[in-house]
Amino acid sequence: DTAVSQTPKYLVTQMGNDKSIKCEQNLGHDTMYWYKQDSKKFLKIMFSYNNKELIINETVPNRFSPKSPDKAHLNLHINSLELGDSAVYFCASSQDFDQPQHFGDGTRLSIL
Amino acid sequence: EDQVTQSPEALRLQEGESSSLNCSYTVSGLRGLFWYRQDPGKGPEFLFTLYSAGEEKEKERLKATLTKKESFLHITAPKPEDSATYLCAVLNQAGTALIFGKGTTLSVSS
């Protein structure tokens, strides 16, 4: 069983479109995250979320919004996609903020 | 500002040639330092967590150590399957997210 799964694995779309990436974890963790990995392979936190609070990295444009229908899911919605949004997006989860995070295999987003 | 710097950026080793990867960090009040391995097209895979200076953790050919300013990942007698990018991260000052370094890409040839 995959612990943290993301769909889709690849997403190719046009500038200006709105898209969503889904993430599910079956580890029973309380905390989930979204990271962006750029072309230089640098991983940067976008959001941290548990059932108590949402922590937003201040550099993330408000076109990006996380939505959590329940504790096992944290989806990422992106409005008005731009060329600079092209990257690999990783979802992760952990039992708590200071515990090891388990990552999905990423969603490669390409903007045409 | 919380920061993680890894060196070298890339490392090429012959099979059996031991070496070390460095991770230096600046964060107020370290709450945890994490080592991950990332293979191409995959997400980072957790290796170790270190919480206090002097702590050491081992797994197969890998050993992680921690001082007050840096961590080392020692690779003993590496094999080609150890080839990957190794990422170091620290929990940020707020304790809510990991700050990653840019990684060291290790290539081991037979």
Side-chain angles (χ1 to χ4, degrees), chain A residues 37 42 48 97-98 101 104-105, chain B residues 36 38 43 51 91 95-96 100:
Chain A
Q37 189 169 47
F42 187 42
S48 305
F97 286 124
D98 63 350
Q101 295 180 19
D105 281 338
Chain B
Y36 287 83
Q38 187 173 22
Y51 288 105
L91 203 59
T96 57
F100 279 88

Side-chain angles (χ1 to χ4, degrees), chain A residues 34 47 54 60-67 75-79:
Chain A
W34 278 105
F47 303 100
L54 171 66
V60 175
N62 58 14
R63 298 182 294 103
F64 290 79
S65 57
K67 299 242 189 316
N75 303 324
L76 182 65
H77 296 271
I78 317 169
N79 294 325

Side-chain angles (χ1 to χ4, degrees), chain A residues 9 33 35 37 40-45 48 53 55 90 97-106 108, chain B residues 4 31-32 34 36 38 41-46 49 51 87 91-92 95-102:
Chain A
K9 189 170 176 64
Y33 313 82
Y35 289 86
Q37 189 169 47
K40 295 184 179 180
K41 310 295 184 187
F42 187 42
L43 260 176
K44 194 167 182 182
I45 184 70
S48 305
E53 58 185 329
I55 313 295
F90 285 98
F97 286 124
D98 63 350
Q99 297 300 306
Q101 295 180 19
H102 298 262
F103 285 77
D105 281 338
R108 183 173 295 276
Chain B
V4 176
R31 301 184 189 202
F34 301 79
Y36 287 83
Q38 187 173 22
K42 297 288 187 180
E45 176 188 350
F46 171 71
T49 308
Y51 288 105
L87 299 168
L91 203 59
N92 64 2
T96 57
L98 292 179
I99 306 298
F100 279 88
K102 295 185 177 180

Side-chain angles (χ1 to χ4, degrees), chain B residues 77-95:
Chain B
K79 298 182 177 182
E81 52 262 42
D82 294 322
S83 298
T85 296
Y86 290 86
L87 299 168
C88 173
V90 297
L91 203 59
N92 64 2
Q93 187 175 355

Side-chain angles (χ1 to χ4, degrees), chain B residues 10-11 18 40 43 49-50 59 61 73 76 78-79 93 98 104:
Chain B
L11 181 62
S18 301
T49 308
L50 302 166
K59 179 180 178 181
R61 296 176 292 283
L73 185 65
T76 302
K79 298 182 177 182
Q93 187 175 355
L98 292 179
T104 294

